[in-house]
Structures are given as C-alpha cells and as structure tokens.
Amino acid sequence: MESVSHENRLFPPTSEFVENAHISGMDAYKAMYVKSLEDPEGFWAEAAQDLHWFKPWDSVLDASNAPFYKWYDGSRTNLSYNCLDRNIEAGLGNKVAIHWEGEPGDTRELTYKQLHLEVCRFANALKARGLQKGDRVAIYLPMIPELAIAVLACARIGAVHSVIFAGFSADSIRDRVLDSETCMVITGDGGYRRGKMLELKKIVDEGVASCACVKDVIVVKRGDEHPVDCPMQDGRDSWYHELVADVSDDCTAEEMEAEDLLFLLYTSGTTGKPKGIMHTTAGYQVFSYLTSKYVFDLKADDVYWCTADVGWITGHTYIVYGILQNGVTQVMYEGAPNHPDEGRFWEIIEKYKVSIFYTAPTAIRAFMKWGDKWVTGRDLSSLRLLGTVGEPINPEAWIWYHKMIGAERCPIVDTWWQTETGGHMLTPMPGATPTKPGCATTPFFGIEPAILTDDGKEVEAGILAIKKPWPGMLRGIYGDPQRFKDTYWCKWGGKYYFPGDGARRDEHDYIWILGRVDDVVNVSGHRIGTAELESVFVEHKDVAESAVVGVPHEIKGQGLIAFVTVIEGRDHDDHLRKELIAMIDKSIGKFARPERILFSSDLPKTRSGKIMRRILRDIAEGKELGNTTTLADPGVVEELQEQFLKS
Ligand code: PRX
C-alpha cells in the first residue's frame, strides 16, 4: 500500500498551550505512554480512581477468554451516575451542562442539576412503562436535549440503548429493531434539517409496522411551532411530555456489573448486514472519560462543541458519556451547518464562546468551498483547541482549518478511531505532539499499534493492528460471537485486533492512516459497506448483478459509484436509475446514494468469476487501466469506460 501524502511540516503547540496542558510536552507524553504499556493494569486502575464505583473491581483486565476480554471485573458502577450525580456532588450542579440550540434558533440551557432531574424523570417514566434492565430500546431522535436525556435515562436503569441516526430509512430501523429484539422505540414527531421538518414518527411507524417485539413507542414533541402530522397508535404510542409529567424526580441509579451491556450501535461491515457493536459498562466508562480529558485537554472553564450527531459513535462518546463525565459545559446543535446561511457554525462559536471545537473533515472541506467570507468578521478568539474525526483529512483542508479557524494558534487533534474502539486510539496530545497536516500521529495511552503484512510481519506501510486490549474495545457483535471473532480477531491468529485500515509509519514514528483495506467506503465520515448497496440493487427485478466502489470525492472524502448489469432484454435508462436510487433511500437512507450508476451488459471478472473491483475503481476514477490480462472478457471494460465518459 502506498501513501499519497508527503506532507512533512511540523506544527508544535504554542508554549502557552504546553504550559497549561494536562500533558505538557513530548517527554511527559512518552513517559506516561511507556508506563501505560509496561503496566497497563496499574495505569487503567489509576485512571478509574477519578470515577464513582459502587463496588471496586477484583481484577482490572481478565484475558482468560480472549478475545472476550473483561475489564474491571467484579466492580459495580453506573455511567449516568458518573455523568451527573458525581458532578453534582462535586459542586457542579448549577454549571451549564448543555447549551442547546435548535436549527430555527430556539434555545435551551440545562445545568447538571436540571439534566439530572430530566434524566431521573424519564428513567422513572421508562420504568413505569415496564422497561427493565437489559431490555433493548431504539432511539431515533433529532439532535435535541431529549436525545441525550434518553440515552442517560437508559443507562441509569440499565436498559440497553441502540441509537439509530435519524437519517436512516424505515427499512434500516426495522432491521436494527429485529436484530436486537427491541421492545421500545423513542422518537420525535419531527426534527429540523435545512429549514424543513423531517417527519420522523412516520418513518418509525413504517419501520416497526412488522416488528411484533415493539410494544411501546414514545414520542417527543418537537413540532410545536411547526405542527407535524403525527398519528398516535392506541395502546402503543405515548407522548414523552405526558409520561414525565407526573413521575418522581428521584431515581436511584442501577448498580451495573462491569460487563453489563451499555449500548448497541449498528455499523457497516463488508457484508450486506450491519453489525450491532456491543459496548459494556465499566471499561467504556473509563476509556471515554480519560480520552476526553487528555485529548481535548478539558478544563473547568471550557466550552466544548462537537458537531457530530449522537446517532454515531462520536456523539455517544464525545457528546454524551466522555464529555459529561468530565463535568464541562458543551454546546449541542440540532441542524445543518448552512442554515440559514453558511456562517452558522462560526456564529455559534462566537455566541457561546466555544473553546474546543470538534468536527469532520468533510465539513471543513465544505466550509473551504463556501469561502472565507463566512468566517472573517466572526470573533473566534475563544477557541483554543480544534479536532477532526471520521476520515483522513487532506493537508489542504488541515491548513485552512489551522489558519482560518485556529488562527495558527490552536493545536489540531486528528483523532483516528472507530465505532468498535469506543474512543480515540491514535491522536496527537494537544499540549505535547508537534502535528503534521493529515496525520493522526501517535497512540493514546495503553494503545499499542503495529503495521503488519497479511502474515504478521512488521512493515513501514501495511495493515494497522492493535496489539493490546484496551478498556473501550467492543465486546462483541450482538447475537453473533462467531462474526465478532472472524471479523476482528482472525487475521493474525487471534492475537491482535484488526481494524480494517491501512497505515504507514514515518520517520518520526508517526502513524498515517491510509484508508480502509476492505470494501467499506467512508462517505462524509459515514461508514457504508459496498455490499449493502449491492444487495439492495439486486432486489430490483431488472437487475442481474451489481458492484459498488468508492472513489475520491472533493467534499465527501469518498463517493460511491455503482456498476449495474441488467437482465438481458430489459431497459436500462434514467427511469431505472431513479428507481434504484429510490431503493437506496428506502433501504438505507439518502446519505448512502451513489454519485453515479453505470449500466453495462457485464462486469469485469476473472476467469473464475470474481468481480475485479480494482478495475472498476480505475474506470470510476477515469484512470489508465492496469493489467487486464486476467479478465475473462476484456471487451467489457471498454464498454464501461465508454459509458463512464458519456454519462
Ligand atoms: O477508516 C477509518 C475512518 O473511519 C473508520 C471508522 O468509522 P466509524 O466506525 O463510523 O467511526 C467514525 C468516528 C470515529 C475508520 O476505520 N476514520 C476515523 N477517523 C479517522 C479515520 N480515518 C483517518 N483519520 C481519522 N482521523
């Protein structure tokens, strides 16, 4: 695997930042990193001391049944307690936990005490509906405070939340609900996006129509100002505000076992079926707490803002659990970055005096395209630290972020991690690591990365591996332990974790992420398995076969190009193209739409019938084709190239 980036400029943090940072300078980072690898159990035991435990652990790490590792076994704790009660006991009750802003400009402010109260009430309402520890609950909400409240209320009583990003379709809801046998769905009548109201309840109704396991649907009213048609089904549906109206404010947090399931979050893999990634209580708690503290260098007077949606792992760890455990104030925003205009984010930073800003490279590229005029004139002097997540950031976007937003003063933490890892794995330490544009740099404490060949030899550029277990690691794939082992632990004989990314190590011992090595594509920071689209296309009566590939995209990072062969004699025209796009919208969600769909009479295959994706990628990128001699029918390629140029 070859890296395309030769960016080698170093950007050290300012001396002011270094002086005040939790981790000051590379020597401090290195000493602590070495300690964390030499004595991981000692390191993770010490890290856990800041948090509340109803009962301490018997062992920090139990590796006796690897890869089913156990962390803090024997302990009892509760994430909602550590996010709320612990901070209130420490005197932070009247501190703002969340400054919320809706897309139309409506606002709400919740102190730690108020958030605690809302969480306790909703937790009591859930209990009153019969919800019990271990029950699975799907949450399909816009970015409103009730999303964080619902997540924390589940954690408080030990119910397992499965948040579904509100851009997913009805079919996606159905698949996730059935896979985890969800008994309850928490949703809203709607949510704002680019000035429009998304009618979420209708999507839920369609999604759960055939799910007998769903007994309860709780609906948050978002559409006061903009009433939404929201039919309620008798005996199944209830309004959130009615349920919380007459319940007690007092709800004791359930004492959870260390390995009790905290949440499921579905993510794409290389098959057509998304995986329910399992995260459990104690290890995730400590890992989300510690990575937040050090990577964002969190201090008592910070105002933090992460622009991700709680529907993705970034929002779970770095809006809800990690950030609230650290007792800081954060901003939560419901809508689009360009509503009512392209200056919305900078207006929010100015208004709330945001000091730490965490966003995705795709957003940065969009801002660059919209032009500097939206930024200039805004007072962004409150910012002291910037972050990126979700996909590789191209050096050009990094430099723009550094100059235009960070005023060449704010360190940028380019954080590499995954749904499965629970939290940051490779990242600069803001008060220590001299950064390089586009580089995730060095491992977090306790994380031991390696770059390997398929057969486990250490190389400079190859496949990323993680050699040691860490507390935030996934504990399984819901209902499918074999798939968990096969996907993540088989590559190097069960010894190391296989994340599915390629990487390169440079002369500073920094690690560069080179993108996925499997058939997973990263579109605007959203993981999409090409097999998911392919299995949707072949459901169409006129489609014989399809192959989907990822290609570079100026704003989204990667875009999807679909190659579709139709059954002989059937028409392939714009009408079919529209039907196929409508199928993707319905089965996955609009965010998974391909950029282009190309039709052909066949796909390039080897003589043994395997589709040659490398050639499809070359065609889709308009490149010179590599070796085509192994193709069964080289004529197919010419036809596709012609199509590509024409369309
Ligand atoms: O390919 C890597 C890419 O996103 C994948 C994980 O996607 P997901 O589970 O949806 O989580 C995204 C948010 C953590 C990884 O396998 N990725 C994530 N962060 C980076 C990245 N690629 C390069 N640089 C990053 N900072």
Side-chain angles (χ1 to χ4, degrees):
M1 182 171 301
E2 215 185 313
S3 167
V4 286
S5 176
H6 297 288
E7 181 61 63
N8 247 331
R9 281 172 286 180
L10 276 173
F11 293 80
T14 62
S15 49
E16 193 196 339
F17 198 102
V18 176
E19 265 166 42
N20 297 309
H22 285 306
I23 311 290
S24 286
M26 271 316 249
D27 289 347
Y29 159 73
K30 280 183 185 155
M32 201 158 151
Y33 179 66
V34 168
K35 204 173 133 208
S36 74
L37 289 198
E38 281 175 353
D39 176 18
E41 299 199 29
F43 178 86
W44 289 113
E46 199 181 318
Q49 297 296 346
D50 289 353
L51 303 173
H52 173 85
W53 304 85
F54 296 112
K55 177 178 175 286
W57 50 90
D58 301 324
S59 67
V60 176
L61 172 64
D62 175 354
S64 58
N65 189 25
F68 299 95
Y69 294 95
K70 289 182 181 174
W71 285 88
Y72 304 102
D73 198 30
S75 70
R76 283 203 301 271
T77 188
N78 184 289
L79 255 302
S80 130
Y81 191 98
N82 272 304
C83 288
L84 302 170
D85 310 54
R86 195 181 112 263
N87 285 321
I88 295 169
E89 284 157 21
L92 302 182
N94 293 324
K95 181 172 181 174
V96 174
I98 299 175
H99 287 294
W100 176 80
E101 186 160 312
E103 197 186 67
D106 46 341
T107 58
R108 252 174 95 183
E109 193 178 278
L110 287 159
T111 62
Y112 274 89
K113 226 193 249 169
Q114 289 164 334
L115 184 59
H116 178 259
L117 185 111
E118 300 282 348
V119 168
C120 287
R121 280 202 181 147
F122 190 46
N124 281 331
L126 293 176
K127 283 207 260 188
R129 301 295 302 169
L131 199 69
Q132 290 183 357
K133 184 178 166 186
D135 287 345
R136 274 82 56 214
V137 177
I139 302 178
Y140 187 75
L141 279 169
M143 279 284 285
I144 55 178
E146 285 77 5
L147 175 48
I149 293 166
V151 162
L152 290 165
C154 288
R156 195 157 190 93
I157 64 172
V160 177
H161 57 78
S162 161
V163 183
I164 303 171
F165 169 61
F168 275 112
S169 65
D171 288 5
S172 296
I173 297 175
R174 183 200 55 217
D175 293 348
R176 285 157 175 73
V177 160
L178 291 177
D179 187 72
S180 55
E181 291 170 276
T182 296
C183 61
M184 178 187 279
V185 182
I186 302 167
T187 187
D189 53 352
Y192 289 95
R193 193 77 190 172
R194 284 198 186 84
K196 285 207 189 101
M197 185 57 110
L198 304 173
E199 298 194 332
L200 301 180
K201 171 65 163 45
K202 284 193 179 158
I203 302 172
V204 168
D205 283 343
E206 189 189 331
V208 304
S210 57
C211 303
C213 52
V214 175
K215 307 287 183 225
D216 250 310
V217 176
I218 299 180
V219 188
V220 180
K221 200 167 185 57
R222 173 75 185 112
D224 277 346
E225 299 286 316
H226 184 150
V228 185
D229 181 23
C230 182
M232 300 290 276
Q233 188 176 307
D234 251 2
R236 190 197 68 178
D237 300 353
S238 34
W239 287 103
Y240 178 100
H241 58 272
E242 288 174 5
L243 294 182
V244 296
D246 48 23
V247 288
S248 153
D249 300 347
D250 197 21
C251 176
T252 308
E254 184 78 26
E255 296 195 9
M256 302 294 288
E257 306 278 339
E259 290 300 337
D260 276 342
L261 196 52
L262 174 68
F263 68 81
L264 296 175
L265 186 58
Y266 283 82
T267 191
S268 296
T270 50
T271 72
K273 188 174 179 287
K275 309 172 271 196
I277 301 301
M278 296 163 69
H279 281 289
T280 59
T281 302
Y284 176 83
Q285 170 170 284
V286 177
F287 198 62
S288 58
Y289 164 74
L290 203 76
T291 49
S292 300
K293 174 176 168 177
Y294 287 139
V295 176
F296 298 125
D297 190 44
L298 294 176
K299 307 279 171 49
D301 52 0
D302 271 317
V303 179
Y304 166 93
W305 182 24
C306 167
T307 67
D309 193 293
V310 174
W312 309 106
I313 190 68
T314 305
H316 282 61
T317 308
Y318 300 116
I319 292 178
V320 183
Y321 291 117
I323 302 304
L324 293 174
Q325 281 193 90
N326 276 278
V328 298
T329 295
Q330 70 176 309
V331 172
M332 183 176 180
Y333 170 60
E334 177 187 33
N338 54 352
H339 189 85
D341 61 39
E342 283 75 3
R344 186 68 184 267
F345 275 17
W346 320 123
E347 185 194 320
I348 291 177
I349 291 177
E350 185 178 76
K351 178 170 169 190
Y352 296 97
K353 299 197 169 29
V354 171
S355 58
I356 302 169
F357 180 61
Y358 192 35
T359 196
T362 184
I364 298 168
R365 287 189 294 266
F367 296 133
M368 281 174 73
K369 194 173 144 217
W370 293 333
D372 296 355
K373 68 171 185 196
W374 299 106
V375 186
T376 43
R378 288 285 171 200
D379 178 5
L380 305 183
S381 59
S382 55
L383 287 171
R384 66 179 195 92
L385 173 59
L386 303 174
T388 70
V389 56
E391 42 168 333
I393 178 163
N394 45 314
E396 196 195 352
W398 194 101
I399 294 287
W400 184 88
Y401 198 34
H402 171 68
K403 288 195 171 149
M404 281 307 292
I405 310 304
E408 302 187 31
R409 177 189 74 242
C410 305
I412 298 179
V413 288
D414 174 351
T415 57
W416 175 86
W417 59 295
Q418 308 179 297
T419 304
E420 292 87 339
T421 70
H424 301 144
M425 301 292 279
L426 299 174
T427 170
M429 279 295 147
T433 320
T435 50
K436 289 184 190 180
C439 181
T441 71
T442 49
F444 187 73
F445 304 121
I447 306 302
E448 191 182 356
I451 300 173
L452 304 177
T453 57
D454 276 326
D455 46 11
K457 262 205 337 264
E458 292 256 0
V459 279
E460 200 183 287
I463 304 162
L464 185 63
I466 307 294
K467 285 183 151 180
K468 275 193 168 47
W470 66 100
M473 65 200 306
L474 78 163
R475 300 300 200 274
I477 294 176
Y478 194 73
D480 203 344
Q482 193 56 46
R483 189 174 176 198
F484 168 64
K485 285 203 223 166
D486 294 347
T487 308
Y488 302 108
W489 300 99
C490 269
K491 191 153 193 78
W492 298 290
K495 277 201 302 208
Y496 308 140
Y497 171 75
F498 167 61
D501 279 86
R504 170 176 79 90
R505 202 185 284 276
D506 74 8
E507 65 278 15
H508 286 98
D509 218 12
Y510 282 5
I511 294 178
W512 295 73
I513 298 294
L514 306 177
R516 301 287 306 189
V517 294
D518 53 12
D519 291 320
V520 170
V521 179
N522 196 323
V523 179
S524 302
H526 303 323
R527 245 163 92 166
I528 299 171
T530 52
E532 281 177 68
L533 276 86
E534 289 160 7
S535 58
V536 172
F537 290 142
V538 295
E539 277 172 28
H540 192 287
K541 63 177 186 356
D542 295 341
V543 171
E545 196 173 31
S546 107
V548 175
V549 296
V551 292
H553 185 284
E554 200 192 336
I555 303 290
K556 299 178 183 174
Q558 282 189 291
L560 297 159
I561 306 286
F563 295 86
V564 172
T565 63
V566 290
I567 291 170
E568 242 185 273
R570 308 280 167 84
D571 281 344
H572 51 84
D573 51 16
D574 253 3
H575 179 68
L576 176 60
R577 205 170 261 124
K578 282 190 189 128
E579 282 184 350
L580 294 178
I581 291 193
M583 286 175 79
I584 295 295
D585 290 355
K586 183 171 177 311
S587 300
I588 307 174
K590 286 199 171 84
F591 66 90
R593 279 185 182 182
E595 303 298 314
R596 295 169 78 173
I597 298 178
L598 300 180
F599 296 114
S600 68
S601 54
D602 203 354
L603 293 172
K605 289 187 188 136
T606 59
R607 284 181 201 105
S608 62
K610 197 168 173 291
I611 296 174
M612 292 190 72
R613 286 165 188 279
R614 176 181 58 78
I615 291 186
L616 289 176
R617 267 191 290 270
D618 287 348
I619 294 171
E621 287 180 42
K623 275 191 188 162
E624 286 263 313
L625 297 190
N627 184 356
T628 55
T629 50
T630 49
L631 281 175
D633 174 9
V636 170
V637 172
E638 277 162 37
E639 188 193 334
L640 280 170
Q641 270 184 318
E642 215 171 280
Q643 266 263 334
F644 182 77
L645 294 173
K646 265 203 311 215
S647 65

